[in-house]
Amino acid sequence: MRYLLPLLLTLSPLTMAAQLTLKGPVELLAVTPPQSFSDDKVSLAAGEHQLLVRYQETLSSRSSSESDIEVRSEPQVLKLTVAADDKLVLTAPEHNSQRAMEQFAKQPQFTLTGTSSAPVQDVIKLKGFLLGVDYNDLLADYNRGNGPAVLSS
């Protein structure tokens, strides 16, 4: 038992990670370096990361004969640098009209709190009707270009 405590103390800094929580109409599509994540939380090791996110909000129908209206932005790449102990929150404002949703979706601006540096944001334009998009591949393709949110190697 006395050997276990020093071992745990030496390993604990290695397992520390920043915690990112998504609030509001923000959907997390992919993370670079690739890792698993839940719908509204992800743990990030200290260092530089990319998040592929989009604004997605639903306006409920007013009657049972109408369908809900879903508004989405193009995927947005956010490049950020985090410290191991950061508690981050990524948000987008909620809107109550279809017009406001559509306007915001054209140029979404996400707010990241809990870090000292502002993220760099860029859009990935998707063309046509797409099913089964591999968002990790989409980020990898983006990183072969020269956009403002490309990860430095």
Side-chain angles (χ1 to χ4, degrees):
M1 184 67 173
R2 67 179 169 197
Y3 298 110
L4 186 58
L5 184 59
L7 179 63
L8 290 174
L9 291 175
T10 59
L11 291 178
S12 63
L14 297 175
T15 59
M16 288 184 63
Q19 299 299 313
L20 173 70
T21 303
L22 287 85
K23 293 199 174 181
V26 180
E27 181 182 14
L28 181 60
L29 304 171
V31 179
T32 301
Q35 62 190 45
S36 63
F37 54 87
S38 71
D39 287 340
D40 64 347
K41 290 187 188 225
V42 64
S43 294
L44 302 170
E48 191 175 58
H49 295 273
Q50 276 178 324
L51 306 175
L52 187 62
V53 298
R54 75 173 157 213
Y55 163 78
Q56 178 173 320
E57 195 165 9
T58 303
L59 184 63
S60 298
S61 66
R62 295 183 192 159
S63 70
S64 60
S65 63
E66 295 177 357
S67 297
D68 291 345
I69 298 169
E70 192 167 283
V71 178
R72 293 180 177 167
S73 71
E74 295 282 359
Q76 306 289 311
V77 180
L78 299 176
K79 180 173 79 170
L80 61 148
T81 303
V82 300
D85 59 348
D86 282 348
K87 302 287 186 229
L88 309 168
V89 179
L90 183 67
T91 60
E94 294 187 27
H95 301 89
N96 56 10
S97 75
Q98 181 179 352
R99 185 169 188 225
M101 289 177 188
E102 290 170 348
Q103 189 66 28
F104 185 81
K106 290 178 185 176
Q107 292 184 312
Q109 292 298 312
F110 298 96
T111 303
L112 182 67
T113 57
T115 183
S116 59
S117 62
V120 177
Q121 182 174 332
D122 195 16
V123 63
I124 296 179
K125 299 264 186 199
L126 299 177
K127 295 181 178 149
F129 183 74
L130 303 170
L131 286 176
V133 175
D134 185 332
Y135 292 109
N136 288 317
D137 282 350
L138 195 64
L139 262 180
D141 288 344
Y142 176 84
N143 282 321
R144 287 190 272 280
N146 58 0
V150 168
L151 279 183
S152 53
S153 302

